[in-house]
Amino acid sequence: MSSDEWSAAEDEGQLSRLLRKSRDSPFVPVGVAGSVAVLSYGLYKLKSRREEKMSLRLIHVRIAAQGCAVGAVTLGVLYSMYKDYIRPRFFNVSKK
């Protein structure tokens, strides 16, 4: 078999790939879940917007969802910095 051919045995499943990536960077699923929760809540509350324009309401919801994603990425970067630089230096723990 040449290296260009695809093999089903080499392909990992979607769930196992998601779980592996979640272990590598645990704040990515948190960011996705937060964004989905904010967007869902914003769409649910869309009916009770009273006199507010729909476009303005959607902009607010989008910014809140982006804030969740950016916050999760920031926490992930801080966690990686702690894990790779601070913890090994001060607690004599090897990098994993």
Side-chain angles (χ1 to χ4, degrees):
M1 179 185 295
S2 70
S3 63
D4 294 340
E5 292 181 27
W6 177 78
S7 170
E10 296 172 358
D11 188 27
E12 61 182 326
Q14 291 284 336
L15 183 61
S16 62
R17 183 175 180 205
L18 177 67
L19 292 174
R20 180 180 52 83
K21 287 188 174 269
S22 296
R23 282 191 301 269
D24 293 343
S25 52
F27 289 100
V28 172
V30 171
V32 170
S35 295
V36 168
V38 168
L39 288 172
S40 299
Y41 179 74
L43 291 175
Y44 175 73
K45 288 294 191 178
L46 196 59
K47 287 193 253 182
S48 65
R49 61 179 160 52
R50 295 184 206 121
E51 299 299 320
E52 187 179 26
K53 288 185 178 180
M54 183 181 290
S55 62
L56 187 61
R57 177 70 173 185
L58 291 174
I59 288 171
H60 289 157
V61 169
R62 187 194 71 191
I63 289 173
Q66 287 175 336
C68 285
V70 169
V73 168
T74 302
L75 287 174
V77 167
L78 291 174
Y79 176 72
S80 294
M81 289 174 59
Y82 168 77
K83 185 174 68 172
D84 292 341
Y85 299 109
I86 295 171
R87 189 173 65 182
R89 174 178 260 177
F90 294 109
F91 300 110
N92 295 328
V93 177
S94 64
K95 291 182 184 179
K96 289 186 179 182

